[in-house]
Amino acid sequence: MFSVCKLVIGFGVDPALRISVFDELTLGEGFDGVTQVQGFHSESRAFHFQGSSREVKAPVEVSEQMVQKLRGKNEFTVLVTLKQDHLNSGVILSIHHSEHRFLELESSGQRSEVRLHYRTKGQQDHTEVFPYSLADDQWHKVSVAVSASHVILHVDCNRIYERVVEPPYMDIPEDTSFWLGQRNAAHGFFKVNAAIKTSFPEYIYFCIVPCMSACPTCNDFHGLVQKIMELQDILAKTSSKLSRAEEKMNGLDGCYCERTCSVKGVVYREDESWTDGCRNCTCTNGTVQCEAISCPPPQCPAGTAPAYVKGACCKECQLSPFSSLPPVGHDFCSEGNGCMENSDCVNLEAGDCCVCKDGFRPLRDDNAYCEDIDECAEGKHYCRENTMCVNTPGSFMCICHTGYIRIDDYSCTEHDECLSGLHNCDENALCFNMVGGHSCSCKPGYTGNGTVCKAMCDGLCQNGGTCVSPNNCVCQQGFTGKRCETDIDECADGFVECDSKSTCVNLPGWYHCECRDGYHDNGLFSANGESCIDINECKTGRNTCANDTVCFNLEGGYDCRCPHGHNCTGDCIHDNKVKHSGQIWVLDSDRCSVCSCQAGQVMCRRMVCDCDNPNADLFCCPECDPRLSSQCLHQNGLLTYGSGDTWVENCQQCQCLQGQVDCWPLPCPPVDCEFTVVPEGECCPRCVTDPCQADTIRNDITKTCTDEHNISRFSGSSWIKHGTECTLCQCKVSC
């Protein structure tokens, strides 16, 4: 059950900045189980939500406006007024995209907790848990204020918690939706038997508000200091660059720079001309431009004829030679010839001549100068199908197309990439050879595009297990079984040896040594419980001795002793109330715990469940609830759990209780170290010595260090070292 009056998303104090989400809530598709009821104020409307067949979210245009307002912000406030049934758990609001919760507010009546879920800058999902019960069937005004690394929870105008946390990362995608009373369309079975009222005089809107205050917040101050340091860094870099630029400018005062051309090791200046063979060339803006020499027809007098002269590009008038014939076999070419680079000299009977090399054509009629023929462009090649013609000086090459192999210089045939192993198919895929390539298809039992195939286990790998082959799960540390359904009890199996002052406590996938009653940790949090020390209940007042007895501290406990000569009652003081010796009662704060007073000491224990008793309390003994309506579906919708069953999903411990699912962060043992990392496949952090491997670095932002420019840097902050582009510095302060 979930009731809503008028819902408004407000940004700032100005009412014009508020966005109406459900100004007119239409009961139609997606609103099954939603009925209109009378609000407790004459001007308010309320809607009552029940069941799980619903999809209640803000209209697309409203979601877009809200996402635009929140994107990039790490300072805002969530305000809500609600009424929640006893023992109910569920999501109040959720800004959800895919599997990630960018902002979600949840209330758990089963565990008496308020949970704030969000994403951090490291793209990690974070949950902040506030032990407080809203599920008491009473109206409450709730405010969750986020200001950078500070979170403050107010309930009914009373400050309940204030914490320093990792700042939220609100880089919200465009198509994100805003949901009310559920996490998303696939998780409507997270039932919320709550009523939210958002339209009444003293608290008129349910909103997400970017903080606007006359006084600067911690985030404002921190951001201002960081911005000043960044500006100082930019100023220092700019000043250094300007100084270097001035030095260069001073050195260039007497310089005149022009673009030049380099040809065959010779440098030519701008607009300078030269002759290259029978071409006239000019250096223009750093580029060589050449054109063939134009020869006018020679006008030769009688007794002469036009002929080429060695070293000249144009024919000149020459006298006809009258000489004796040379002997047969005379080498005219060796006596000097005018054949250039791409032309060969050939001896004749009465002289020599030039012949262009293969693949070249003459530039003039004596063949002394020749140019390359582009056989590919002119179609004078022999490349066949499946090849590509590439021109070379004096010839050409036939290159095989991708996926083909060479037969000879001019032909290529199809290459069986599957047979040769030269393919990109996944090891769990089948390779099919095709003309010019190949295709990949995942084997039965696997899914994907062929290049990447993942095994299918029908979603049955439990407790964070990974499907590695069809119906084969690899379990996270601490779990075992074919479907990873069994938690390894490290305590019972003898894997752990805790100190005598502590006891081994098994957790889902983990364990830790917890101090026994009468002891507390000294702050070192040793893994085996050696850091547990005795609590002096007499000095700290943590005893239940009545006024007529004297408290004596014992190792791990205390004793209520009656002074000599006195007749003591043996009564106990519990919650400032007198309990008589031998009296048995149920705790007001926990109806599943039974306490008794014995000789001045209060002893409490959990209620023993007897499922054969028809009057068994099903809340304290959920395993005794046989009703089908009390069963729950796993998040994947494929598994069914009975009331009282627990499981682990995405590093959260979930429990089914009377048909409702409640999930909370998996408890982890405390770690007392500077650098921590969460190994792949695990949920709890472990200590590491290498900061480069760490996911989290514990920093004290009240401490600073000074960089090379005497600029103060916060502990944990990073910057690029001045004068370099590849050196990253970090401020690390050790106590």
Side-chain angles (χ1 to χ4, degrees), residues 57 108 170 175 180 205 249 289 297 396 461 484 551 689 695:
K57 58 181 178 179
S108 171
M170 303 298 285
D175 54 345
L180 181 67
Y205 60 94
M249 291 296 293
Q289 296 182 354
F396 61 92
C461 293
C484 307
C551 177
T689 57
D695 293 332

Side-chain angles (χ1 to χ4, degrees), residues 24 86 97 126 151 156 272 363 383 484 517 548 609 637 644 703:
E24 293 294 335
H86 288 286
H97 183 270
H126 180 79
V151 174
D156 298 326
E272 186 176 356
L363 282 172
C383 296
C484 307
D517 290 341
D548 58 352
C609 293
K703 293 179 168 55

Side-chain angles (χ1 to χ4, degrees), residues 15-29:
L17 295 178
R18 299 174 188 166
I19 303 174
S20 175
V21 179
F22 292 106
D23 196 12
E24 293 294 335
L25 182 59
T26 304
L27 302 184
E29 184 178 355

